[in-house]
Amino acid sequence: MNGQTVIILDLPGEAETMRLGEDLALALKVGDCLALSGDLGAGKSTLARALLRALADDDDLEVPSPTFTLVQSYDLRIPVAHFDLYRLGDASELDELGFDEALSNGICIVEWPEIAEDLLPDSRITLKLEHRGSGRVATITAPEERMKRIRRVLAIRDALTGWGYAGARRRYLTGDASVRAYETLRTADGRDFILMDWPRQPEGPPVLDGKPYPKVAHIAEDAYPFVAIAGYLREIGLAAPQVFNADYEQGILVIEDLGREGVLDESGRPIADRYRESVACLAFLHGHQVSQDIPVTDAHVHHIPDFDPTAMKMEARLLLDWHLPWKRGAQPSEEERQDYLAIWDGLIRELEGSERNLLLRDFHSPNIIWRPHESGVHRIGIIDFQDAMIGPTAYDLAAIVQDARADVPATLAEQMMVDYVTLRRSLSSPSSPFDEPAFLKAFSIMAAQRNCKLAGLWVRLKERDGKPGYMKHMPRTLRYLAAALRHEALAPLRDWCHKAGIDLPES
């Protein structure tokens, strides 16, 4: 097979074989075929069992040998079909076992792949185990696209070992709409951490003035901003993760585990008290004036970018570039485009003089941890802030009051607004009063800007990135946009949306 690359690993004992299986569980994706070869007793079943238990996050998962059944299926985080072809009568019987369907829906682990080698995909990952002394050696061969993922999980393991976490138990925690992924770490002595996996990405195509989207919209591209903002939040008394280890070049961080409890109930509905506490936390944050330059290391100072007009318009353009073509099946006319951008020029001018300070950018339910055993603002754990900017503070309030991932009841949203304004008034001084009318106008403009961005982002995630699941948020986003457009300052945008045929709920 052409384009194959090879990795050779020493596995001194069974523990290392199991650990390789566990690490591979973090690398494999839907459509991967892992072909396990080696003599009897070489460790194929040991590795496969560790991989399956890691995917299940269940160390006691029953993993019977498929020697006699030929295939054993598992409904896990990623569905897995475990094949043992040792007793396969004829290679052609592989189709009858449902191999193609299993591969299209999940992962296939194949022991004794030599028996049906010609029928396995050329893109398979081949892992050969051979005895070497009292241990084993593993030879992994795969196309570069898949080997890149394997090298990544092995590089993370090497980094953890170098930081003193040798043998730590790694399990998948979550991914998000970005390039970051998260794992849980448990050390041999029972300490728990979170690993942030944030590989550097190649620079994308230019979208404005020769710059790619992340640079125009000020999206963090490495871990320095996260470490800087985490340190600042902790310094002023908020609960953000402590960063224990960071490899900025590779994008690997070990951070504090703030917990798993969120602000939604089991049905995905907001828990009112927790949302109100989140707003109190936000008011506390906005009552502290941040320095725009934060030292991170002896050689690096993070300059918090401004949420400038270019970035605001670039995000709002997602409605033009993605939502409208999806909705109508055709690109907007040049006149529509120019009118829309001119409206945003005017709305951004309306923000002049509004309060500006640190805004976290994504302060909503997925990024808030509830810490019931803490008190005050420490009950709110903040975990996503690497894209923080200096801009209208109203943006963050809009992000939580109009939570993109949950339906916030109108009565709760109104109470949150009252809570925030009341707290900001109490924290202000005669020399620096809280301008409520200006803030409420900025709130509506920022809510409209955020929801225009999201209405396009959900479509982009579906059509460009193959993540259609985010489209379930579209009806909520359009309801929030309609609510924001009720402010008199938003009348031009409301009229434009009506003419463009964007389906907004009636006010």
Side-chain angles (χ1 to χ4, degrees):
M1 293 180 286
N2 295 326
Q4 301 286 296
T5 53
V6 178
I7 291 176
I8 299 175
L9 301 170
D10 285 320
L11 306 174
E14 187 173 88
E16 288 76 17
T17 301
M18 293 172 62
R19 193 166 301 126
L20 175 58
E22 293 174 354
D23 289 352
L24 286 174
L26 296 162
L28 299 183
K29 294 184 177 181
V30 172
D32 283 341
C33 172
L34 176 62
L36 292 177
S37 65
D39 295 334
L40 286 170
K44 300 186 298 298
S45 296
T46 297
L47 187 144
R49 188 180 302 113
L51 192 160
L52 287 161
R53 288 176 173 170
L55 275 172
D57 195 12
D58 181 357
D59 292 341
D60 298 318
L61 178 73
E62 287 290 334
V63 184
S65 172
T67 300
F68 294 100
T69 59
L70 299 185
V71 60
Q72 188 76 32
S73 298
Y74 300 86
D75 186 14
L76 308 177
R77 173 174 65 84
I78 303 174
V80 180
H82 183 191
F83 295 83
D84 188 323
L85 307 186
Y86 188 73
R87 297 181 183 275
L88 194 69
D90 186 89
S92 62
E93 295 176 16
L94 189 62
D95 288 339
E96 298 173 18
L97 295 175
F99 179 84
D100 289 341
E101 182 179 358
L103 192 62
S104 65
N105 295 320
I107 295 166
C108 289
I109 302 173
V110 182
E111 295 190 44
W112 300 100
E114 300 85 356
I115 293 172
E117 190 167 10
D118 291 342
L119 297 180
L120 297 180
D122 289 341
S123 60
R124 65 184 177 274
I125 300 164
T126 299
L127 195 161
K128 185 175 183 180
L129 291 167
E130 299 173 285
H131 292 286
R132 175 177 290 178
S134 60
R136 304 177 179 99
V137 62
T139 303
I140 305 174
T141 307
E144 176 58 24
E145 175 193 358
R146 284 166 166 78
M147 191 66 88
K148 183 178 179 182
R149 287 187 257 129
I150 295 171
R151 279 200 298 267
R152 180 68 182 177
V153 297
L154 296 177
I156 291 173
R157 175 62 70 186
D158 287 344
L160 291 174
T161 299
W163 288 330
Y165 306 102
R169 179 182 184 273
R170 299 167 60 188
R171 293 294 184 268
Y172 174 86
L173 178 60
T174 185
D176 57 25
S178 73
V179 297
R180 290 180 300 279
Y182 300 86
E183 303 172 14
T184 60
L185 292 181
R186 171 160 289 183
T187 61
D189 57 1
R191 293 175 296 148
D192 291 317
F193 301 93
I194 299 295
L195 183 137
M196 182 189 293
D197 176 11
W198 189 355
R200 288 181 179 268
Q201 299 298 302
E203 194 160 278
V207 295
L208 185 69
D209 297 333
K211 298 179 182 178
Y213 183 88
K215 285 187 167 54
V216 176
H218 307 308
I219 304 296
E221 298 180 84
D222 56 41
Y224 287 108
F226 180 91
V227 177
I229 301 301
Y232 169 74
L233 295 176
R234 291 173 60 83
E235 180 183 311
I236 66 172
L238 293 174
Q242 182 177 353
V243 179
F244 296 105
N245 307 91
D247 183 325
Y248 296 102
E249 187 59 35
Q250 292 198 89
I252 304 169
L253 281 74
V254 175
I255 64 177
E256 181 182 2
D257 187 348
L258 295 181
R260 300 288 179 280
E261 200 169 345
V263 294
L264 304 177
D265 65 19
E266 292 180 355
S267 301
R269 294 173 297 191
I271 300 173
D273 289 349
R274 299 182 185 184
Y275 268 68
R276 293 184 66 184
E277 290 289 349
S278 299
V279 165
C281 176
L282 203 57
F284 179 89
L285 170 66
H286 293 161
H288 290 74
Q289 193 64 42
V290 69
S291 170
Q292 201 158 357
D293 292 303
I294 302 178
V296 182
T297 68
D298 291 341
H300 188 94
V301 174
H302 174 57
H303 180 78
I304 305 173
D306 290 305
F307 196 17
D308 53 46
T310 300
M312 289 185 193
K313 283 177 64 178
M314 175 58 63
E315 290 186 344
R317 264 182 49 184
L318 291 175
L319 182 136
L320 272 180
D321 296 339
W322 292 94
H323 183 90
L324 206 57
W326 164 79
K327 170 66 182 171
R328 300 196 314 199
Q331 293 290 330
S333 69
E334 185 60 27
E335 181 181 2
E336 285 177 316
R337 181 176 291 275
Q338 294 305 319
D339 287 347
Y340 179 80
L341 296 177
I343 288 169
W344 274 110
D345 284 335
L347 291 173
I348 292 169
R349 284 195 295 271
E350 291 283 337
L351 293 170
E352 293 177 5
S354 65
E355 179 186 74
R356 291 172 58 83
N357 198 356
L358 182 71
L359 57 94
L360 301 176
R361 205 168 191 173
D362 276 315
F363 188 72
H364 60 159
S365 55
N367 302 327
I368 300 173
I369 302 295
W370 178 248
R371 308 170 78 215
H373 301 300
E374 300 291 339
S375 61
V377 293
H378 271 264
R379 281 182 287 190
I380 299 299
I382 309 170
I383 60 172
D384 190 305
F385 38 75
Q386 59 282 334
D387 297 329
M389 296 183 294
I390 303 296
T393 51
Y395 183 97
D396 275 350
L397 185 61
I400 184 65
V401 171
Q402 294 192 337
D403 193 324
R405 306 296 182 89
D407 292 317
V408 180
T411 53
L412 175 57
E414 291 168 5
Q415 184 62 59
M416 291 163 67
M417 295 291 293
V418 170
D419 288 348
Y420 180 89
V421 170
T422 302
L423 285 166
R424 290 304 310 279
R425 282 195 199 124
S426 69
L427 294 171
S428 64
S429 64
S431 61
S432 181
F434 179 66
D435 188 341
E436 183 177 342
F439 183 86
L440 294 178
K441 181 171 76 171
F443 175 92
S444 293
I445 294 172
M446 288 288 84
Q449 190 272 348
R450 179 173 171 81
N451 286 299
C452 284
K453 173 185 76 171
L454 292 174
L457 180 61
W458 305 143
V459 178
R460 188 175 76 179
L461 285 166
K462 170 182 175 286
E463 297 190 349
R464 188 193 73 179
D465 301 336
K467 299 177 179 179
Y470 289 93
M471 289 296 288
K472 67 184 179 184
H473 303 304
M474 185 67 79
R476 179 185 307 116
T477 297
L478 296 179
R479 288 197 303 273
Y480 286 154
L481 178 57
L485 295 181
R486 292 170 195 161
H487 193 285
E488 59 184 0
L490 277 296
L493 183 57
R494 183 172 62 242
D495 293 342
W496 184 93
C497 288
H498 177 73
K499 292 177 183 177
I502 294 176
D503 293 332
L504 296 177
E506 294 293 328
S507 301

